[in-house]
Amino acid sequence: MLVYNSRIHRKQELETIEPGKIRMYVCGPTVYDQIHIGNARTFLSFDVIRRYLMYKGYDVTFAQNLTDVDDKIINRANEEGRSAAEVAEEYSAAFIEQMHRFGILDPDIRPRATREIEAMQEMIGRLVERDHAYVAGNGDVYFSVRSDRSYGVLSGRELDQLRAGERVEVNDDKRDPFDFALWKAAKPGEPSWPSPWGEGRPGWHTECCAMIHRYLGTPIDIHGGGQDLIFPHHENETAQAMCAWDHPLANHWMHAGMLRVNGDKMSKSLGNFFTLREILDAYPADAIRLLMLQTHYRSSLDFQTDQLDGAVGTLERLRTCVKNLRWTAENSPGDGNLTEADRGLSQAAVTAQEEFIRQMDDDFNTAGGLAAIFELVTAANKYLLAAGGAIATAPTLRAADTICELAEVLGVTLESSQDELPSELVDLARAHAGYAGTDPEEAAETLLAARQEARAAKDWGTADAIRDGITALGLALEDTAAGARLRKA
Ligand code: AMP
Ligand code: ZN
């Protein structure tokens, strides 16, 4: 399977360090506010990458940090007159909550910077000892980029080129403008920890590198983040690993493209800034996932808010197809003999799965994977329409299972317990059809049969009362060739 490696600017065959195992790290958020949909796009990309690797049978260990000490957190805490720890705690919880709502799997390991001070100090100590870092006049400890002959290997830029091209903060304490702080000397009112170099707090680039080493062991198989992290964050992470442990931090570097909104960079001043929470309040997670996954993870994604309604329709189309297949298999099973159309549907399921894998094996082409699912949905809808009456059960169930299984690899759930019929149907069936059981499915069948009987007996009062009761529960009554049935309205 081919994976694009940002370090070599091309796709390469995925080779794991240990056979069948993948150790993977994706930089987490700085927890000072609700995350925006750009952040969410990056986390979604890696959630799907992880899910697909698991689907392929890899044993994946996934770690993601929470940056819970940082200037932005301290600034917000000062503005609001509370502690940095309180701000970090609030937005760590908010982040995890929104990730759950968005259907992102929890990492296996979720280290927090403030709890990993020891691991970071150990790494910084090693870098100082090996002359790759120095204590500056202001008490900060800096990494010396000049001491690392491979510096620039990830972003593909030489130091001189970088010096000419980038604007960097001028700081007399640094030996080179690109030197970066591994440890920042404490300032009044800021969170700090004791260290061999004085009271202070860790630098951002230090955190990920030390945590990866501690929890996953270096090098790891896959390191990911958004493209904006390639320089300087990931360049600095890998420089530290090279200089501390003499090996790169990761074998495959993967970066997700940036999200733009309606053609523009997302910004508060342009009024096109959306938090993930806002979008999730308005649209189902699965629809947002479908919309985002229609663009390859490496491409920049132009998020068109007016396409969200369309995505809800797409999700509905997938769910309806699965429901129709299952319902038909259950309610009008054929005689077991397979027709050409039945065999065609089975074949369409096999082809869809093969095509899905072919697309996803090519650097996680989710757009191609989705197209394979839609092909099968189209074939299934045609089959159901043409078949009319009795239907072979095995091919219909197989098609439904395949659609659900492939969608689930993308983290899109088509069948869930939420689709179950409401328990109020039991009361309704008790009132109108003398039903004595407790199963909503059975109650629905009893009600439908009672309504049928009432209609046959021209007892319109009872028939209408049943229909009204069903509608009041937010369900729709559908008359189909194989009889009446209920679905969510
Ligand atoms: P941060 O909290 O700023 O470090 O961002 C968390 C993650 O979101 C990082 O992997 C960033 O690369 C990513 N990210 C930030 N802005 C965007 C954007 N507009 N589109 C996609 N990913 C982004
Ligand atoms: Zn990082």
Side-chain angles (χ1 to χ4, degrees), residues 27-30 36 38-39 42-43 204 225-229 257-259:
C27 298
T30 305
H36 58 65
N39 307 131
T42 290
F43 298 133
W204 174 37
Q227 271 161 8
D228 58 330
L229 297 190
M258 293 292 104
L259 176 139

Side-chain angles (χ1 to χ4, degrees), residues 78-90:
N78 289 341
E79 278 163 23
E80 295 178 358
R82 49 187 183 144
S83 74
E86 268 176 305
V87 171
E89 193 46 51
E90 176 181 342

Side-chain angles (χ1 to χ4, degrees), residues 200-227:
R201 62 184 165 98
W204 174 37
H205 313 303
T206 311
E207 169 189 327
C208 294
C209 191
M211 291 178 187
I212 291 173
H213 190 64
R214 168 156 189 213
Y215 288 102
L216 297 174
T218 48
I220 55 170
D221 297 291
I222 296 177
H223 191 320
Q227 271 161 8

Side-chain angles (χ1 to χ4, degrees), residues 362-378:
D362 182 12
D363 194 30
F364 309 96
N365 185 354
T366 50
L370 279 170
I373 300 176
F374 293 135
E375 283 277 308
L376 176 55
V377 169
T378 303

Side-chain angles (χ1 to χ4, degrees), residues 15-59:
E15 277 174 27
T16 63
I17 296 164
E18 281 178 79
K21 289 193 179 172
I22 289 188
R23 285 173 294 142
M24 180 173 175
Y25 182 91
V26 174
C27 298
T30 305
V31 283
Y32 71 102
D33 207 343
Q34 288 283 342
I35 64 156
H36 58 65
I37 53 172
N39 307 131
R41 194 260 174 138
T42 290
F43 298 133
L44 170 66
S45 301
F46 287 99
D47 182 59
V48 170
I49 288 168
R50 176 189 183 192
R51 284 172 186 263
Y52 185 65
L53 292 169
M54 285 158 51
Y55 180 67
K56 291 281 284 189
Y58 286 104
D59 174 5

Side-chain angles (χ1 to χ4, degrees), residues 127 143 148 151 180 234-244:
L127 290 169
F143 181 89
D148 175 18
Y151 193 81
F180 56 91
H234 288 167
E235 189 71 65
N236 290 350
E237 279 188 28
T238 199
Q240 293 168 83
M242 279 307 280
C243 293

